Amino acid sequence: QVQLVESGGGLVQPGGSLRLSCAASGRDFSRDVMGWYQQAPGMQRAMVARISQFGDTIYAPSVEGRFTISRDNAKNTFYLQMSSLKREDTAVYYCNVVPPTDDYWGQGTQVTVSS
């Protein structure tokens, strides 16, 4: 069974940084486009970053220049490096394939940006 486990979230002050991790198991994801999805309070879940099997990346305008998505195929693991965090980044963050597979959603990891 596929499992995607997010970790690395927490409480951080504006301007701070966090690195989120997504540990994948159940199958090899090296050929998949992977994304990080953000669900802010009262909002729909939306993709903020994606990385192709070739390493090409695309970011939502709201995070462009501040977040970096990466992958380690040998570890079947994906990362989201978040810098210059803003209050507006407060959300639960999830990883999934692109487009997402419903059965793959994990618990997510909470990121709270607050002073």
Side-chain angles (χ1 to χ4, degrees), residues 1-3 8-9 11-12 14-15 20 23 27 29 40 55 60 72 76 83-84:
Q1 295 180 210
V2 166
Q3 190 171 18
L11 176 64
V12 64
L20 308 185
R27 70 170 178 85
F29 284 83
D72 185 339
N76 221 20
S83 300
S84 301

Side-chain angles (χ1 to χ4, degrees), residues 34-45:
M34 299 297 298
W36 280 95
Y37 299 79
Q38 174 193 72
Q39 187 164 233
M43 302 291 288
Q44 293 281 88
R45 188 153 42 196

Side-chain angles (χ1 to χ4, degrees), residues 2-13:
V2 166
Q3 190 171 18
L4 301 174
V5 180
E6 300 91 348
S7 63
L11 176 64
V12 64
Q13 295 189 186

Side-chain angles (χ1 to χ4, degrees), residues 3-102:
Q3 190 171 18
L4 301 174
V5 180
E6 300 91 348
S7 63
L11 176 64
V12 64
Q13 295 189 186
S17 299
L18 284 172
R19 191 191 200 201
L20 308 185
S21 297
C22 171
S25 60
R27 70 170 178 85
D28 181 9
F29 284 83
S30 63
R31 290 180 169 178
D32 291 284
V33 179
M34 299 297 298
W36 280 95
Y37 299 79
Q38 174 193 72
Q39 187 164 233
M43 302 291 288
Q44 293 281 88
R45 188 153 42 196
M47 186 165 52
V48 296
R50 65 163 77 187
I51 184 167
S52 77
Q53 61 268 55
F54 312 111
D56 304 300
T57 58
I58 299 174
Y59 300 92
S62 60
V63 309
E64 179 77 48
R66 300 187 298 116
F67 291 9
T68 301
I69 187 171
S70 61
R71 66 196 302 162
D72 185 339
N73 287 336
K75 295 182 178 180
N76 221 20
T77 301
F78 310 89
Y79 306 96
L80 186 68
Q81 177 66 52
M82 305 185 296
S83 300
S84 301
L85 283 161
K86 304 175 179 179
R87 289 180 177 271
E88 309 93 89
D89 299 320
T90 295
V92 179
Y93 287 80
Y94 303 84
C95 62
N96 209 325
V97 293
V98 180
T101 294
D102 285 346

